[in-house]
Amino acid sequence: MQSKRRVSIIGTGSYVPEKVLTNQDLEAIVETSDEWIYSRTGMRERHIAAPEQATSDLGAEAAKKAISDAGIDVAEIDLIIVATLSPDMFFPSTACFVQDKIGAKNAYCFDLGAACSGFLYAMDTAKNMIASGAAETALVIGSEKMSTFIDWEDRATCILFGDGAGAAVLRAGGEGRGVMDAVMGSDGSLADLLSTPGGGSRNPMTHEMLDQKMQYLQMQGREVFKHAVTRMTETVISTLEKNNISADEVKCFIPHQANIRIIDAIAKKLKVADRMYSNVDKYANTSSAALAIALDEAVKDGTIRKGDLVVLTVFGGGFTWGANVLEWGK
Ligand code: UT7
C-alpha cells in the first residue's frame, strides 16, 4: 500500500448561465420585494439556465475552464466526481455525461450526493483517493440546475436559488501543504427540514405526488438557518484546532453561499469578518456549486494568493456539513 501523498488544487473554473433574474424580476412572479429579499438574504440577482441546458452542460463548461487553468491534457484526468442534487437523470450519473462532453476518456466517474455540502465532500473524497494512490488527477465539480426543482409559486424558496457550476482539478504533489485536512459531519435525523420529498422510491412519480408539488425543494428556513450557523462555526473551529492553526493565520474563509446573514453570523462568532468571502449577491444559493464558484472567483480576483491558508466550509440538506483547510500553492 502506498503512503499518503500531498494533494494540491492545480486549477479552478466556474460557469453561470447567461440569463440573469433580478429581485425586481421576481416581484413580477411572486408576492415579494427587492427590499425583503436583499435585507433577509443579501441576494440581488441569480442566473437561470436555458431550457436546453442540463446540469452536465453547466458542469462541463466549468470543467473546461478548470482544465485549461490547470494546463493539463484532458486525457490525464482519471477521476471525475460531480456533486449535485439536480442531476440530468436518476441514472446514468451526471459525471458520465460530463465525461463525454469534455472527452475525458481515461476517467472513472460518479456522482456524490451531499446536497449543498457536495463540493466539499467531493473534494475530500478526491483528495483522499489521490493521497492513497487510488487516483492521480481528479476533476471535482459542483453543478446545479436548481431552477428545475424549485416551486416558482412558493416565495419562501423560489427567491433563494440560482443555477451554475464550479470545478477544481486536484493532483498529487505541488508546492506548500496543499489540501491539508477536513472535518465532516452528518445528521440524518433532521432530513425533513430540507428535502425534495417526491420522485424517488419513497414517494414515486405519480399524478397525485405531482399535484402535491412534492417534486420541489421544501425547507423550514428558520430551523435550517440556525443549524447552518452552528454547524459551520463549530466545524471551522474543529478543523483549525485539529491542525494547530489559529484563525489569525487564515487569509480567506469561504463559506457556503446561502444567505449573507448566515455568513455574517459565522464571521462574527469566529471574529473574521474582514476575511469572509461572499458572492451571494450575484448568484444566490447555487447549492453544491456555490463553494466551487466562490473558490474560483476568490482565486481569480486575487483574494487568494500563493502560500495563503484558506478555510472552506459548507452546510446542506441531510443535514450535512464540513470544513477543510488548504494552503494555496499556485
Ligand atoms: O443551502 C442550504 C442551506 N439553506 C439555508 O441555509 C437557508 C436558511 N434560511 C434562510 O436563509 C432564511 O430562513 C430565509 C431567507 C429562507 C427566510 O428568512 P426568515 O427571516 O427566516 O423569514 P421567515 O421564513 O421567518 O419569514 C418571515 C416573513 C413571513 O411572514 P409572516 O409569517 O411573518 O407574516 C413570511 O411569509 O416573511 C415572509 N416571507 C416573504 N415575504 C416577502 C417569506 N418569504 C418571503 C418573500 N418575500 N420572498
Side-chain angles (χ1 to χ4, degrees), residues 116-134:
C116 297
S117 304
F119 184 72
L120 199 68
Y121 272 56
M123 188 191 287
D124 194 46
T125 303
K127 181 240 167 184
N128 287 318
M129 288 178 70
I130 295 169
S132 72

Side-chain angles (χ1 to χ4, degrees), residues 32 36 40 116 155 194 221-222 224 256 258-259 261-262 285:
T32 192
W36 192 96
R40 298 285 178 130
C116 297
R155 68 176 183 172
L194 176 53
R222 284 208 171 172
V224 175
H256 174 47
N259 187 323
R261 292 188 296 130
I262 294 177
N285 182 351

Side-chain angles (χ1 to χ4, degrees), residues 133-315:
E136 286 296 324
T137 306
L139 174 63
V140 177
I141 300 170
S143 186
E144 305 282 8
K145 188 178 180 184
M146 296 299 290
S147 55
T148 332
F149 295 92
I150 295 304
D151 178 1
W152 287 98
E153 292 179 348
D154 176 16
R155 68 176 183 172
T157 53
C158 77
I159 56 124
L160 296 170
F161 296 94
D163 300 336
V169 179
L170 276 69
R171 173 172 271 185
E175 290 179 41
R177 286 170 282 183
V179 184
M180 293 158 64
D181 194 25
V183 174
M184 318 293 287
S186 309
D187 183 354
S189 73
L190 298 170
D192 289 348
L193 295 177
L194 176 53
S195 69
T196 300
S201 56
R202 174 67 58 205
N203 301 296
M205 197 71 80
T206 60
H207 287 293
E208 199 184 7
M209 185 282 280
L210 294 172
D211 289 344
Q212 290 170 21
K213 296 187 164 193
M214 289 166 77
Q215 72 276 30
Y216 296 128
L217 180 146
Q218 298 178 2
M219 176 168 68
Q220 306 283 328
R222 284 208 171 172
E223 280 305 305
V224 175
F225 188 111
K226 284 188 264 177
H227 286 278
V229 173
T230 309
R231 289 303 190 184
M232 282 193 274
T233 307
E234 282 174 0
T235 315
V236 167
I237 292 170
S238 310
T239 306
L240 292 175
E241 282 178 1
K242 192 174 161 214
N243 290 278
N244 290 316
I245 293 168
S246 87
D248 293 343
E249 295 172 70
V250 178
K251 175 73 191 310
C252 181
F253 293 83
I254 308 184
H256 174 47
Q257 306 288 311
N259 187 323
I260 196 67
R261 292 188 296 130
I262 294 177
I263 295 171
D264 288 346
I266 299 168
K268 200 171 162 198
K269 282 175 190 278
L270 296 172
K271 301 192 178 66
V272 298
D274 54 329
R275 286 164 289 146
M276 206 73 170
Y277 197 85
S278 175
N279 58 15
V280 73
D281 56 326
K282 292 189 287 182
Y283 306 123
N285 182 351
T286 55
S287 185
S288 72
L291 186 71
I293 296 172
L295 174 64
D296 181 48
E297 292 206 336
V299 171
K300 303 284 158 64
D301 71 17
T303 303
I304 299 174
R305 292 169 197 272
K306 191 170 177 174
D308 287 344
L309 284 181
V310 179
V311 168
L312 310 177
T313 184
V314 285
F315 180 86

